PDB file of all heavy atoms in Angstrom:
ATOM      1  N   LYS A  24      -0.509  21.532  27.175  1.00 91.00           N
ATOM      2  CA  LYS A  24      -0.400  20.274  26.435  1.00 91.00           C
ATOM      3  C   LYS A  24       0.875  19.573  26.870  1.00 91.00           C
ATOM      4  O   LYS A  24       1.975  20.127  26.752  1.00 91.00           O
ATOM      5  CB  LYS A  24      -0.384  20.531  24.929  1.00 91.00           C
ATOM      6  CG  LYS A  24      -0.204  19.280  24.091  1.00 91.00           C
ATOM      7  CD  LYS A  24      -1.435  18.398  24.086  1.00 91.00           C
ATOM      8  CE  LYS A  24      -1.214  17.141  23.261  1.00 91.00           C
ATOM      9  NZ  LYS A  24      -2.415  16.299  23.195  1.00 91.00           N
ATOM     10  N   LEU A  65      -6.750  18.942  15.499  1.00 84.00           N
ATOM     11  CA  LEU A  65      -6.011  17.710  15.211  1.00 84.00           C
ATOM     12  C   LEU A  65      -5.590  17.008  16.491  1.00 84.00           C
ATOM     13  O   LEU A  65      -5.265  15.837  16.483  1.00 84.00           O
ATOM     14  CB  LEU A  65      -4.763  18.004  14.374  1.00 84.00           C
ATOM     15  CG  LEU A  65      -4.940  18.171  12.888  1.00 84.00           C
ATOM     16  CD1 LEU A  65      -3.590  18.303  12.212  1.00 84.00           C
ATOM     17  CD2 LEU A  65      -5.712  17.013  12.285  1.00 84.00           C
ATOM     18  N   SER A  66      -5.550  17.735  17.588  1.00 85.00           N
ATOM     19  CA  SER A  66      -5.232  17.079  18.844  1.00 85.00           C
ATOM     20  C   SER A  66      -5.915  17.814  19.987  1.00 85.00           C
ATOM     21  O   SER A  66      -6.291  18.990  19.848  1.00 85.00           O
ATOM     22  CB  SER A  66      -3.719  16.972  19.027  1.00 85.00           C
ATOM     23  OG  SER A  66      -3.213  18.074  19.726  1.00 85.00           O
ATOM     24  N   LYS A  88     -14.557  22.691  12.161  1.00 88.00           N
ATOM     25  CA  LYS A  88     -13.856  22.312  10.928  1.00 88.00           C
ATOM     26  C   LYS A  88     -14.412  23.003   9.679  1.00 88.00           C
ATOM     27  O   LYS A  88     -13.674  23.286   8.748  1.00 88.00           O
ATOM     28  CB  LYS A  88     -13.929  20.797  10.745  1.00 88.00           C
ATOM     29  CG  LYS A  88     -12.980  20.046  11.652  1.00 88.00           C
ATOM     30  CD  LYS A  88     -13.102  18.563  11.418  1.00 88.00           C
ATOM     31  CE  LYS A  88     -11.934  17.816  12.039  1.00 88.00           C
ATOM     32  NZ  LYS A  88     -11.987  16.387  11.704  1.00 88.00           N
ATOM     33  N   TYR A  93      -6.850  25.941   6.388  1.00 93.00           N
ATOM     34  CA  TYR A  93      -5.524  25.571   6.883  1.00 93.00           C
ATOM     35  C   TYR A  93      -4.558  25.409   5.724  1.00 93.00           C
ATOM     36  O   TYR A  93      -4.891  24.861   4.680  1.00 93.00           O
ATOM     37  CB  TYR A  93      -5.618  24.266   7.670  1.00 93.00           C
ATOM     38  CG  TYR A  93      -4.291  23.690   8.111  1.00 93.00           C
ATOM     39  CD1 TYR A  93      -3.640  24.205   9.225  1.00 93.00           C
ATOM     40  CD2 TYR A  93      -3.706  22.642   7.408  1.00 93.00           C
ATOM     41  CE1 TYR A  93      -2.417  23.679   9.630  1.00 93.00           C
ATOM     42  CE2 TYR A  93      -2.479  22.115   7.802  1.00 93.00           C
ATOM     43  CZ  TYR A  93      -1.845  22.634   8.913  1.00 93.00           C
ATOM     44  OH  TYR A  93      -0.648  22.116   9.319  1.00 93.00           O
ATOM     45  N   SER A  99       0.536  21.264   0.572  1.00 84.00           N
ATOM     46  CA  SER A  99      -0.551  20.296   0.617  1.00 84.00           C
ATOM     47  C   SER A  99      -1.480  20.310  -0.589  1.00 84.00           C
ATOM     48  O   SER A  99      -2.689  20.290  -0.452  1.00 84.00           O
ATOM     49  CB  SER A  99      -1.399  20.513   1.870  1.00 84.00           C
ATOM     50  OG  SER A  99      -0.568  20.660   2.974  1.00 84.00           O
ATOM     51  N   TYR A 101      -2.326  18.320  -4.356  1.00 90.00           N
ATOM     52  CA  TYR A 101      -2.057  17.024  -4.981  1.00 90.00           C
ATOM     53  C   TYR A 101      -1.267  17.264  -6.257  1.00 90.00           C
ATOM     54  O   TYR A 101      -1.775  17.816  -7.218  1.00 90.00           O
ATOM     55  CB  TYR A 101      -3.361  16.291  -5.258  1.00 90.00           C
ATOM     56  CG  TYR A 101      -3.975  15.774  -3.996  1.00 90.00           C
ATOM     57  CD1 TYR A 101      -4.967  16.472  -3.352  1.00 90.00           C
ATOM     58  CD2 TYR A 101      -3.514  14.598  -3.431  1.00 90.00           C
ATOM     59  CE1 TYR A 101      -5.500  16.010  -2.163  1.00 90.00           C
ATOM     60  CE2 TYR A 101      -4.034  14.131  -2.245  1.00 90.00           C
ATOM     61  CZ  TYR A 101      -5.030  14.839  -1.608  1.00 90.00           C
ATOM     62  OH  TYR A 101      -5.547  14.379  -0.437  1.00 90.00           O
ATOM     63  N   GLU A 102      -0.015  16.844  -6.216  1.00 88.00           N
ATOM     64  CA  GLU A 102       0.905  17.166  -7.304  1.00 88.00           C
ATOM     65  C   GLU A 102       0.519  16.525  -8.631  1.00 88.00           C
ATOM     66  O   GLU A 102       0.808  17.056  -9.684  1.00 88.00           O
ATOM     67  CB  GLU A 102       2.326  16.719  -6.925  1.00 88.00           C
ATOM     68  CG  GLU A 102       2.790  17.303  -5.604  1.00 88.00           C
ATOM     69  CD  GLU A 102       3.911  18.296  -5.767  1.00 88.00           C
ATOM     70  OE1 GLU A 102       4.872  17.965  -6.470  1.00 88.00           O
ATOM     71  OE2 GLU A 102       3.821  19.397  -5.183  1.00 88.00           O
ATOM     72  N   GLN A 103      -0.123  15.378  -8.582  1.00 87.00           N
ATOM     73  CA  GLN A 103      -0.469  14.704  -9.839  1.00 87.00           C
ATOM     74  C   GLN A 103      -1.764  15.218 -10.456  1.00 87.00           C
ATOM     75  O   GLN A 103      -2.115  14.831 -11.555  1.00 87.00           O
ATOM     76  CB  GLN A 103      -0.610  13.193  -9.646  1.00 87.00           C
ATOM     77  CG  GLN A 103       0.658  12.481  -9.252  1.00 87.00           C
ATOM     78  CD  GLN A 103       0.739  12.310  -7.750  1.00 87.00           C
ATOM     79  OE1 GLN A 103       0.263  13.155  -6.990  1.00 87.00           O
ATOM     80  NE2 GLN A 103       1.321  11.216  -7.307  1.00 87.00           N
ATOM     81  N   GLU A 108      -8.356  20.581 -11.004  1.00 91.00           N
ATOM     82  CA  GLU A 108      -8.801  19.424 -10.218  1.00 91.00           C
ATOM     83  C   GLU A 108      -8.560  19.610  -8.729  1.00 91.00           C
ATOM     84  O   GLU A 108      -9.377  19.223  -7.897  1.00 91.00           O
ATOM     85  CB  GLU A 108      -8.097  18.151 -10.705  1.00 91.00           C
ATOM     86  CG  GLU A 108      -8.675  17.614 -12.000  1.00 91.00           C
ATOM     87  CD  GLU A 108      -7.776  16.586 -12.672  1.00 91.00           C
ATOM     88  OE1 GLU A 108      -6.586  16.501 -12.312  1.00 91.00           O
ATOM     89  OE2 GLU A 108      -8.261  15.885 -13.564  1.00 91.00           O
ATOM     90  N   GLY A 115     -14.854  20.707  -3.087  1.00 88.00           N
ATOM     91  CA  GLY A 115     -15.814  19.622  -2.870  1.00 88.00           C
ATOM     92  C   GLY A 115     -15.825  19.120  -1.445  1.00 88.00           C
ATOM     93  O   GLY A 115     -16.891  18.914  -0.864  1.00 88.00           O
ATOM     94  N   ILE A 116     -14.651  18.956  -0.849  1.00 88.00           N
ATOM     95  CA  ILE A 116     -14.660  18.410   0.510  1.00 88.00           C
ATOM     96  C   ILE A 116     -15.148  19.445   1.521  1.00 88.00           C
ATOM     97  O   ILE A 116     -15.538  19.093   2.617  1.00 88.00           O
ATOM     98  CB  ILE A 116     -13.294  17.816   0.957  1.00 88.00           C
ATOM     99  CG1 ILE A 116     -12.214  18.866   1.013  1.00 88.00           C
ATOM    100  CG2 ILE A 116     -12.885  16.669   0.063  1.00 88.00           C
ATOM    101  CD1 ILE A 116     -10.916  18.322   1.613  1.00 88.00           C
ATOM    102  N   TYR A 117     -15.142  20.735   1.130  1.00 88.00           N
ATOM    103  CA  TYR A 117     -15.742  21.731   2.023  1.00 88.00           C
ATOM    104  C   TYR A 117     -17.209  21.948   1.699  1.00 88.00           C
ATOM    105  O   TYR A 117     -17.843  22.865   2.206  1.00 88.00           O
ATOM    106  CB  TYR A 117     -14.956  23.045   1.981  1.00 88.00           C
ATOM    107  CG  TYR A 117     -13.755  23.004   2.897  1.00 88.00           C
ATOM    108  CD1 TYR A 117     -12.497  22.678   2.409  1.00 88.00           C
ATOM    109  CD2 TYR A 117     -13.901  23.240   4.258  1.00 88.00           C
ATOM    110  CE1 TYR A 117     -11.405  22.592   3.262  1.00 88.00           C
ATOM    111  CE2 TYR A 117     -12.818  23.158   5.116  1.00 88.00           C
ATOM    112  CZ  TYR A 117     -11.573  22.838   4.616  1.00 88.00           C
ATOM    113  OH  TYR A 117     -10.512  22.752   5.466  1.00 88.00           O
TER     114      TYR A 117
ATOM    115  N   ARG B 185     -19.353  14.661  -0.652  1.00 78.00           N
ATOM    116  CA  ARG B 185     -17.939  14.914  -0.366  1.00 78.00           C
ATOM    117  C   ARG B 185     -17.146  13.630  -0.493  1.00 78.00           C
ATOM    118  O   ARG B 185     -16.061  13.606  -1.039  1.00 78.00           O
ATOM    119  CB  ARG B 185     -17.778  15.427   1.055  1.00 78.00           C
ATOM    120  CG  ARG B 185     -18.319  16.793   1.241  1.00 78.00           C
ATOM    121  CD  ARG B 185     -18.229  17.173   2.681  1.00 78.00           C
ATOM    122  NE  ARG B 185     -18.897  18.455   2.845  1.00 78.00           N
ATOM    123  CZ  ARG B 185     -19.252  18.950   4.010  1.00 78.00           C
ATOM    124  NH1 ARG B 185     -18.996  18.279   5.116  1.00 78.00           N
ATOM    125  NH2 ARG B 185     -19.847  20.109   4.079  1.00 78.00           N
ATOM    126  N   LYS B 192     -11.321  11.579  -6.901  1.00 87.00           N
ATOM    127  CA  LYS B 192      -9.940  12.075  -6.871  1.00 87.00           C
ATOM    128  C   LYS B 192      -8.953  10.920  -6.791  1.00 87.00           C
ATOM    129  O   LYS B 192      -7.935  10.895  -7.459  1.00 87.00           O
ATOM    130  CB  LYS B 192      -9.763  12.992  -5.662  1.00 87.00           C
ATOM    131  CG  LYS B 192      -8.373  13.553  -5.528  1.00 87.00           C
ATOM    132  CD  LYS B 192      -7.867  13.485  -4.112  1.00 87.00           C
ATOM    133  CE  LYS B 192      -7.141  12.194  -3.855  1.00 87.00           C
ATOM    134  NZ  LYS B 192      -6.511  12.106  -2.549  1.00 87.00           N
ATOM    135  N   HIS B 196      -6.034   9.826  -9.397  1.00 83.00           N
ATOM    136  CA  HIS B 196      -4.662   9.664  -8.964  1.00 83.00           C
ATOM    137  C   HIS B 196      -4.054   8.377  -9.492  1.00 83.00           C
ATOM    138  O   HIS B 196      -2.948   8.348  -9.999  1.00 83.00           O
ATOM    139  CB  HIS B 196      -4.629   9.596  -7.430  1.00 83.00           C
ATOM    140  CG  HIS B 196      -3.914  10.752  -6.844  1.00 83.00           C
ATOM    141  ND1 HIS B 196      -4.162  11.211  -5.589  1.00 83.00           N
ATOM    142  CD2 HIS B 196      -2.945  11.528  -7.345  1.00 83.00           C
ATOM    143  CE1 HIS B 196      -3.393  12.242  -5.345  1.00 83.00           C
ATOM    144  NE2 HIS B 196      -2.647  12.455  -6.391  1.00 83.00           N
ATOM    145  N   ARG B 199      -3.810   8.223 -13.363  1.00 83.00           N
ATOM    146  CA  ARG B 199      -2.877   9.146 -13.985  1.00 83.00           C
ATOM    147  C   ARG B 199      -1.439   8.627 -13.910  1.00 83.00           C
ATOM    148  O   ARG B 199      -0.584   9.033 -14.667  1.00 83.00           O
ATOM    149  CB  ARG B 199      -2.970  10.504 -13.283  1.00 83.00           C
ATOM    150  CG  ARG B 199      -2.347  11.597 -14.075  1.00 83.00           C
ATOM    151  CD  ARG B 199      -3.024  12.900 -13.806  1.00 83.00           C
ATOM    152  NE  ARG B 199      -4.388  12.930 -14.290  1.00 83.00           N
ATOM    153  CZ  ARG B 199      -5.240  13.894 -13.994  1.00 83.00           C
ATOM    154  NH1 ARG B 199      -4.875  14.866 -13.219  1.00 83.00           N
ATOM    155  NH2 ARG B 199      -6.460  13.882 -14.471  1.00 83.00           N
ATOM    156  N   GLU B 380      -0.076  10.434   1.480  1.00 87.00           N
ATOM    157  CA  GLU B 380      -0.844  11.613   1.926  1.00 87.00           C
ATOM    158  C   GLU B 380      -0.191  12.234   3.154  1.00 87.00           C
ATOM    159  O   GLU B 380      -0.151  13.441   3.310  1.00 87.00           O
ATOM    160  CB  GLU B 380      -2.284  11.221   2.263  1.00 87.00           C
ATOM    161  CG  GLU B 380      -3.064  10.693   1.076  1.00 87.00           C
ATOM    162  CD  GLU B 380      -4.001  11.730   0.471  1.00 87.00           C
ATOM    163  OE1 GLU B 380      -4.014  12.863   0.948  1.00 87.00           O
ATOM    164  OE2 GLU B 380      -4.709  11.380  -0.488  1.00 87.00           O
ATOM    165  N   GLY B 384       1.744  15.962   3.276  1.00 84.00           N
ATOM    166  CA  GLY B 384       1.078  16.938   4.127  1.00 84.00           C
ATOM    167  C   GLY B 384      -0.402  17.092   3.810  1.00 84.00           C
ATOM    168  O   GLY B 384      -1.096  17.882   4.429  1.00 84.00           O
ATOM    169  N   GLU B 387      -2.980  16.022   6.692  1.00 86.00           N
ATOM    170  CA  GLU B 387      -3.309  17.046   7.688  1.00 86.00           C
ATOM    171  C   GLU B 387      -4.492  17.884   7.225  1.00 86.00           C
ATOM    172  O   GLU B 387      -5.429  18.119   7.975  1.00 86.00           O
ATOM    173  CB  GLU B 387      -2.109  17.988   7.848  1.00 86.00           C
ATOM    174  CG  GLU B 387      -1.274  17.733   9.055  1.00 86.00           C
ATOM    175  CD  GLU B 387      -0.097  18.705   9.084  1.00 86.00           C
ATOM    176  OE1 GLU B 387       0.140  19.442   8.099  1.00 86.00           O
ATOM    177  OE2 GLU B 387       0.576  18.717  10.089  1.00 86.00           O
ATOM    178  N   VAL B 388      -4.375  18.326   5.962  1.00 88.00           N
ATOM    179  CA  VAL B 388      -5.429  19.184   5.424  1.00 88.00           C
ATOM    180  C   VAL B 388      -6.757  18.437   5.410  1.00 88.00           C
ATOM    181  O   VAL B 388      -7.803  18.996   5.749  1.00 88.00           O
ATOM    182  CB  VAL B 388      -5.050  19.654   4.005  1.00 88.00           C
ATOM    183  CG1 VAL B 388      -6.137  20.537   3.443  1.00 88.00           C
ATOM    184  CG2 VAL B 388      -3.741  20.399   4.039  1.00 88.00           C
ATOM    185  N   LEU B 390      -7.641  15.981   7.390  1.00 87.00           N
ATOM    186  CA  LEU B 390      -8.124  15.778   8.755  1.00 87.00           C
ATOM    187  C   LEU B 390      -8.709  17.064   9.340  1.00 87.00           C
ATOM    188  O   LEU B 390      -9.618  17.025  10.156  1.00 87.00           O
ATOM    189  CB  LEU B 390      -6.984  15.275   9.650  1.00 87.00           C
ATOM    190  CG  LEU B 390      -6.586  13.818   9.433  1.00 87.00           C
ATOM    191  CD1 LEU B 390      -5.323  13.490  10.211  1.00 87.00           C
ATOM    192  CD2 LEU B 390      -7.702  12.879   9.842  1.00 87.00           C
ATOM    193  N   ILE B 391      -8.158  18.214   8.890  1.00 88.00           N
ATOM    194  CA  ILE B 391      -8.682  19.486   9.380  1.00 88.00           C
ATOM    195  C   ILE B 391      -9.999  19.827   8.674  1.00 88.00           C
ATOM    196  O   ILE B 391     -10.846  20.501   9.226  1.00 88.00           O
ATOM    197  CB  ILE B 391      -7.619  20.596   9.184  1.00 88.00           C
ATOM    198  CG1 ILE B 391      -6.480  20.371  10.175  1.00 88.00           C
ATOM    199  CG2 ILE B 391      -8.222  21.970   9.355  1.00 88.00           C
ATOM    200  CD1 ILE B 391      -5.263  21.222   9.928  1.00 88.00           C
ATOM    201  N   SER B 392     -10.162  19.310   7.467  1.00 87.00           N
ATOM    202  CA  SER B 392     -11.383  19.593   6.698  1.00 87.00           C
ATOM    203  C   SER B 392     -12.583  18.881   7.336  1.00 87.00           C
ATOM    204  O   SER B 392     -12.419  18.020   8.185  1.00 87.00           O
ATOM    205  CB  SER B 392     -11.206  19.098   5.267  1.00 87.00           C
ATOM    206  OG  SER B 392     -11.460  17.720   5.215  1.00 87.00           O
ATOM    207  N   PRO B 393     -13.781  19.239   6.892  1.00 87.00           N
ATOM    208  CA  PRO B 393     -14.980  18.608   7.480  1.00 87.00           C
ATOM    209  C   PRO B 393     -15.122  17.118   7.141  1.00 87.00           C
ATOM    210  O   PRO B 393     -16.014  16.470   7.666  1.00 87.00           O
ATOM    211  CB  PRO B 393     -16.140  19.401   6.861  1.00 87.00           C
ATOM    212  CG  PRO B 393     -15.546  20.625   6.292  1.00 87.00           C
ATOM    213  CD  PRO B 393     -14.135  20.303   5.955  1.00 87.00           C
ATOM    214  N   LEU B 549      -4.119  11.057  17.563  1.00 52.00           N
ATOM    215  CA  LEU B 549      -4.904  12.277  17.705  1.00 52.00           C
ATOM    216  C   LEU B 549      -4.780  12.897  19.092  1.00 52.00           C
ATOM    217  O   LEU B 549      -4.924  14.088  19.250  1.00 52.00           O
ATOM    218  CB  LEU B 549      -6.379  11.974  17.424  1.00 52.00           C
ATOM    219  CG  LEU B 549      -6.806  12.033  15.958  1.00 52.00           C
ATOM    220  CD1 LEU B 549      -8.281  11.773  15.835  1.00 52.00           C
ATOM    221  CD2 LEU B 549      -6.478  13.387  15.360  1.00 52.00           C
ATOM    222  N   GLU B 550      -4.530  12.075  20.105  1.00 46.00           N
ATOM    223  CA  GLU B 550      -4.542  12.621  21.476  1.00 46.00           C
ATOM    224  C   GLU B 550      -3.407  13.597  21.741  1.00 46.00           C
ATOM    225  O   GLU B 550      -2.328  13.432  21.316  1.00 46.00           O
ATOM    226  CB  GLU B 550      -4.468  11.461  22.492  1.00 46.00           C
ATOM    227  CG  GLU B 550      -5.791  10.728  22.649  1.00 46.00           C
ATOM    228  CD  GLU B 550      -6.992  11.655  22.669  1.00 46.00           C
ATOM    229  OE1 GLU B 550      -6.970  12.610  23.461  1.00 46.00           O
ATOM    230  OE2 GLU B 550      -7.934  11.448  21.913  1.00 46.00           O
TER     231      GLU B 550
END
Side-chain angles (χ1 to χ4, degrees):
Chain A
K24 177 72 181 182
L65 279 186
S66 92
K88 284 180 165 185
Y93 174 79
S99 313
Y101 287 97
E102 305 248 311
Q103 295 95 327
E108 283 165 344
I116 63 173
Y117 277 96
Chain B
R185 291 175 186 165
K192 180 225 90 174
H196 245 154
R199 196 150 293 170
E380 297 259 2
E387 259 179 351
V388 180
L390 286 171
I391 289 169
S392 82
L549 274 182
E550 284 319 308

